[in-house]
PDB file of all heavy atoms in Angstrom:
ATOM      1  N   TRP A 335       9.174  35.989   7.607  1.00 61.00           N
ATOM      2  CA  TRP A 335      10.577  36.292   7.404  1.00 61.00           C
ATOM      3  C   TRP A 335      11.266  35.144   6.660  1.00 61.00           C
ATOM      4  O   TRP A 335      12.016  35.332   5.725  1.00 61.00           O
ATOM      5  CB  TRP A 335      11.223  36.506   8.773  1.00 61.00           C
ATOM      6  CG  TRP A 335      12.692  36.639   8.728  1.00 61.00           C
ATOM      7  CD1 TRP A 335      13.615  35.636   8.672  1.00 61.00           C
ATOM      8  CD2 TRP A 335      13.435  37.845   8.701  1.00 61.00           C
ATOM      9  NE1 TRP A 335      14.870  36.150   8.623  1.00 61.00           N
ATOM     10  CE2 TRP A 335      14.795  37.496   8.641  1.00 61.00           C
ATOM     11  CE3 TRP A 335      13.084  39.196   8.726  1.00 61.00           C
ATOM     12  CZ2 TRP A 335      15.811  38.446   8.609  1.00 61.00           C
ATOM     13  CZ3 TRP A 335      14.090  40.135   8.696  1.00 61.00           C
ATOM     14  CH2 TRP A 335      15.431  39.758   8.642  1.00 61.00           C
ATOM     15  N   GLN A 336      10.946  33.925   7.099  1.00 58.00           N
ATOM     16  CA  GLN A 336      11.596  32.778   6.471  1.00 58.00           C
ATOM     17  C   GLN A 336      11.187  32.636   5.021  1.00 58.00           C
ATOM     18  O   GLN A 336      11.966  32.202   4.193  1.00 58.00           O
ATOM     19  CB  GLN A 336      11.261  31.503   7.238  1.00 58.00           C
ATOM     20  CG  GLN A 336      12.136  31.360   8.461  1.00 58.00           C
ATOM     21  CD  GLN A 336      11.842  30.090   9.225  1.00 58.00           C
ATOM     22  OE1 GLN A 336      10.757  29.549   9.128  1.00 58.00           O
ATOM     23  NE2 GLN A 336      12.817  29.626   9.962  1.00 58.00           N
ATOM     24  N   GLN A 337       9.946  33.005   4.722  1.00 58.00           N
ATOM     25  CA  GLN A 337       9.527  32.912   3.348  1.00 58.00           C
ATOM     26  C   GLN A 337      10.398  33.814   2.488  1.00 58.00           C
ATOM     27  O   GLN A 337      10.739  33.492   1.370  1.00 58.00           O
ATOM     28  CB  GLN A 337       8.074  33.350   3.224  1.00 58.00           C
ATOM     29  CG  GLN A 337       7.258  32.291   2.529  1.00 58.00           C
ATOM     30  CD  GLN A 337       5.872  32.239   3.100  1.00 58.00           C
ATOM     31  OE1 GLN A 337       5.218  33.280   3.262  1.00 58.00           O
ATOM     32  NE2 GLN A 337       5.415  31.059   3.429  1.00 58.00           N
ATOM     33  N   GLN A 338      10.751  34.941   3.090  1.00 54.00           N
ATOM     34  CA  GLN A 338      11.570  35.887   2.342  1.00 54.00           C
ATOM     35  C   GLN A 338      12.998  35.363   2.172  1.00 54.00           C
ATOM     36  O   GLN A 338      13.633  35.575   1.171  1.00 54.00           O
ATOM     37  CB  GLN A 338      11.603  37.201   3.113  1.00 54.00           C
ATOM     38  CG  GLN A 338      11.359  38.381   2.254  1.00 54.00           C
ATOM     39  CD  GLN A 338      11.399  39.647   3.096  1.00 54.00           C
ATOM     40  OE1 GLN A 338      11.276  39.616   4.312  1.00 54.00           O
ATOM     41  NE2 GLN A 338      11.601  40.760   2.441  1.00 54.00           N
ATOM     42  N   PHE A 339      13.483  34.700   3.176  1.00 51.00           N
ATOM     43  CA  PHE A 339      14.898  34.333   3.190  1.00 51.00           C
ATOM     44  C   PHE A 339      15.109  32.837   3.349  1.00 51.00           C
ATOM     45  O   PHE A 339      15.999  32.421   4.057  1.00 51.00           O
ATOM     46  CB  PHE A 339      15.611  34.961   4.387  1.00 51.00           C
ATOM     47  CG  PHE A 339      15.610  36.447   4.391  1.00 51.00           C
ATOM     48  CD1 PHE A 339      14.926  37.141   5.370  1.00 51.00           C
ATOM     49  CD2 PHE A 339      16.303  37.157   3.441  1.00 51.00           C
ATOM     50  CE1 PHE A 339      14.935  38.506   5.399  1.00 51.00           C
ATOM     51  CE2 PHE A 339      16.311  38.535   3.470  1.00 51.00           C
ATOM     52  CZ  PHE A 339      15.624  39.207   4.441  1.00 51.00           C
ATOM     53  N   ARG A 340      14.245  32.041   2.794  1.00 45.00           N
ATOM     54  CA  ARG A 340      14.351  30.609   3.072  1.00 45.00           C
ATOM     55  C   ARG A 340      15.740  30.083   2.714  1.00 45.00           C
ATOM     56  O   ARG A 340      16.276  30.350   1.661  1.00 45.00           O
ATOM     57  CB  ARG A 340      13.309  29.861   2.264  1.00 45.00           C
ATOM     58  CG  ARG A 340      13.488  28.393   2.315  1.00 45.00           C
ATOM     59  CD  ARG A 340      12.186  27.711   2.701  1.00 45.00           C
ATOM     60  NE  ARG A 340      12.406  26.890   3.867  1.00 45.00           N
ATOM     61  CZ  ARG A 340      11.628  26.886   4.917  1.00 45.00           C
ATOM     62  NH1 ARG A 340      10.625  27.712   4.989  1.00 45.00           N
ATOM     63  NH2 ARG A 340      11.861  26.089   5.907  1.00 45.00           N
ATOM     64  N   ALA A 341      16.330  29.317   3.599  1.00 40.00           N
ATOM     65  CA  ALA A 341      17.656  28.762   3.326  1.00 40.00           C
ATOM     66  C   ALA A 341      17.508  27.326   2.844  1.00 40.00           C
ATOM     67  O   ALA A 341      16.965  26.493   3.537  1.00 40.00           O
ATOM     68  CB  ALA A 341      18.483  28.787   4.597  1.00 40.00           C
ATOM     69  N   PRO A 342      17.959  27.029   1.638  1.00 39.00           N
ATOM     70  CA  PRO A 342      17.885  25.663   1.132  1.00 39.00           C
ATOM     71  C   PRO A 342      19.012  24.839   1.734  1.00 39.00           C
ATOM     72  O   PRO A 342      19.912  25.393   2.350  1.00 39.00           O
ATOM     73  CB  PRO A 342      18.099  25.837  -0.359  1.00 39.00           C
ATOM     74  CG  PRO A 342      18.980  27.041  -0.456  1.00 39.00           C
ATOM     75  CD  PRO A 342      18.641  27.927   0.710  1.00 39.00           C
ATOM     76  N   PRO A 343      18.979  23.499   1.532  1.00 35.00           N
ATOM     77  CA  PRO A 343      20.096  22.704   2.027  1.00 35.00           C
ATOM     78  C   PRO A 343      21.393  23.146   1.364  1.00 35.00           C
ATOM     79  O   PRO A 343      21.381  23.667   0.250  1.00 35.00           O
ATOM     80  CB  PRO A 343      19.725  21.277   1.620  1.00 35.00           C
ATOM     81  CG  PRO A 343      18.564  21.381   0.697  1.00 35.00           C
ATOM     82  CD  PRO A 343      17.947  22.714   0.863  1.00 35.00           C
ATOM     83  N   LEU A 344      22.467  22.955   2.022  1.00 36.00           N
ATOM     84  CA  LEU A 344      23.757  23.346   1.445  1.00 36.00           C
ATOM     85  C   LEU A 344      23.991  22.586   0.151  1.00 36.00           C
ATOM     86  O   LEU A 344      23.608  21.432   0.031  1.00 36.00           O
ATOM     87  CB  LEU A 344      24.875  22.990   2.431  1.00 36.00           C
ATOM     88  CG  LEU A 344      25.091  23.987   3.545  1.00 36.00           C
ATOM     89  CD1 LEU A 344      25.931  23.347   4.644  1.00 36.00           C
ATOM     90  CD2 LEU A 344      25.785  25.226   3.020  1.00 36.00           C
ATOM     91  N   PRO A 345      24.595  23.226  -0.850  1.00 36.00           N
ATOM     92  CA  PRO A 345      24.890  22.524  -2.099  1.00 36.00           C
ATOM     93  C   PRO A 345      25.823  21.353  -1.819  1.00 36.00           C
ATOM     94  O   PRO A 345      26.745  21.459  -1.013  1.00 36.00           O
ATOM     95  CB  PRO A 345      25.579  23.584  -2.958  1.00 36.00           C
ATOM     96  CG  PRO A 345      25.974  24.659  -2.021  1.00 36.00           C
ATOM     97  CD  PRO A 345      25.082  24.583  -0.836  1.00 36.00           C
ATOM     98  N   VAL A 346      25.549  20.213  -2.471  1.00 34.00           N
ATOM     99  CA  VAL A 346      26.290  19.014  -2.125  1.00 34.00           C
ATOM    100  C   VAL A 346      27.527  18.783  -2.999  1.00 34.00           C
ATOM    101  O   VAL A 346      28.455  18.122  -2.576  1.00 34.00           O
ATOM    102  CB  VAL A 346      25.389  17.764  -2.207  1.00 34.00           C
ATOM    103  CG1 VAL A 346      24.574  17.647  -0.959  1.00 34.00           C
ATOM    104  CG2 VAL A 346      24.510  17.828  -3.449  1.00 34.00           C
ATOM    105  N   THR A 347      27.501  19.317  -4.219  1.00 34.00           N
ATOM    106  CA  THR A 347      28.612  19.017  -5.121  1.00 34.00           C
ATOM    107  C   THR A 347      29.817  19.896  -4.856  1.00 34.00           C
ATOM    108  O   THR A 347      29.684  21.105  -4.684  1.00 34.00           O
ATOM    109  CB  THR A 347      28.190  19.200  -6.580  1.00 34.00           C
ATOM    110  OG1 THR A 347      27.474  20.435  -6.652  1.00 34.00           O
ATOM    111  CG2 THR A 347      27.302  18.068  -7.018  1.00 34.00           C
ATOM    112  N   ASN A 348      30.965  19.296  -4.852  1.00 35.00           N
ATOM    113  CA  ASN A 348      32.239  19.991  -4.781  1.00 35.00           C
ATOM    114  C   ASN A 348      32.239  21.249  -3.932  1.00 35.00           C
ATOM    115  O   ASN A 348      32.161  22.344  -4.455  1.00 35.00           O
ATOM    116  CB  ASN A 348      32.699  20.436  -6.189  1.00 35.00           C
ATOM    117  CG  ASN A 348      32.752  19.257  -7.123  1.00 35.00           C
ATOM    118  OD1 ASN A 348      32.896  18.115  -6.655  1.00 35.00           O
ATOM    119  ND2 ASN A 348      32.636  19.512  -8.406  1.00 35.00           N
ATOM    120  N   PRO A 349      32.295  21.114  -2.662  1.00 34.00           N
ATOM    121  CA  PRO A 349      32.386  22.323  -1.859  1.00 34.00           C
ATOM    122  C   PRO A 349      33.591  23.145  -2.302  1.00 34.00           C
ATOM    123  O   PRO A 349      34.590  22.580  -2.708  1.00 34.00           O
ATOM    124  CB  PRO A 349      32.551  21.798  -0.437  1.00 34.00           C
ATOM    125  CG  PRO A 349      32.823  20.352  -0.548  1.00 34.00           C
ATOM    126  CD  PRO A 349      32.392  19.875  -1.878  1.00 34.00           C
ATOM    127  N   PRO A 350      33.482  24.433  -2.269  1.00 36.00           N
ATOM    128  CA  PRO A 350      34.586  25.260  -2.746  1.00 36.00           C
ATOM    129  C   PRO A 350      35.817  25.055  -1.883  1.00 36.00           C
ATOM    130  O   PRO A 350      35.694  24.789  -0.693  1.00 36.00           O
ATOM    131  CB  PRO A 350      34.045  26.674  -2.606  1.00 36.00           C
ATOM    132  CG  PRO A 350      32.953  26.577  -1.604  1.00 36.00           C
ATOM    133  CD  PRO A 350      32.402  25.198  -1.682  1.00 36.00           C
ATOM    134  N   SER A 351      36.964  25.133  -2.544  1.00 35.00           N
ATOM    135  CA  SER A 351      38.182  25.041  -1.747  1.00 35.00           C
ATOM    136  C   SER A 351      38.146  26.188  -0.763  1.00 35.00           C
ATOM    137  O   SER A 351      37.857  27.319  -1.114  1.00 35.00           O
ATOM    138  CB  SER A 351      39.403  25.160  -2.648  1.00 35.00           C
ATOM    139  OG  SER A 351      39.257  26.337  -3.424  1.00 35.00           O
ATOM    140  N   VAL A 352      38.391  25.855   0.463  1.00 34.00           N
ATOM    141  CA  VAL A 352      38.156  26.847   1.503  1.00 34.00           C
ATOM    142  C   VAL A 352      39.293  27.851   1.568  1.00 34.00           C
ATOM    143  O   VAL A 352      40.449  27.492   1.655  1.00 34.00           O
ATOM    144  CB  VAL A 352      37.991  26.153   2.860  1.00 34.00           C
ATOM    145  CG1 VAL A 352      37.852  27.175   3.951  1.00 34.00           C
ATOM    146  CG2 VAL A 352      36.800  25.224   2.824  1.00 34.00           C
TER     147      VAL A 352
END
Side-chain angles (χ1 to χ4, degrees):
W335 172 278
Q336 279 181 336
Q337 233 145 48
Q338 227 180 342
F339 298 114
R340 171 129 236 133
L344 279 164
V346 279
T347 45
N348 305 336
S351 53
V352 176

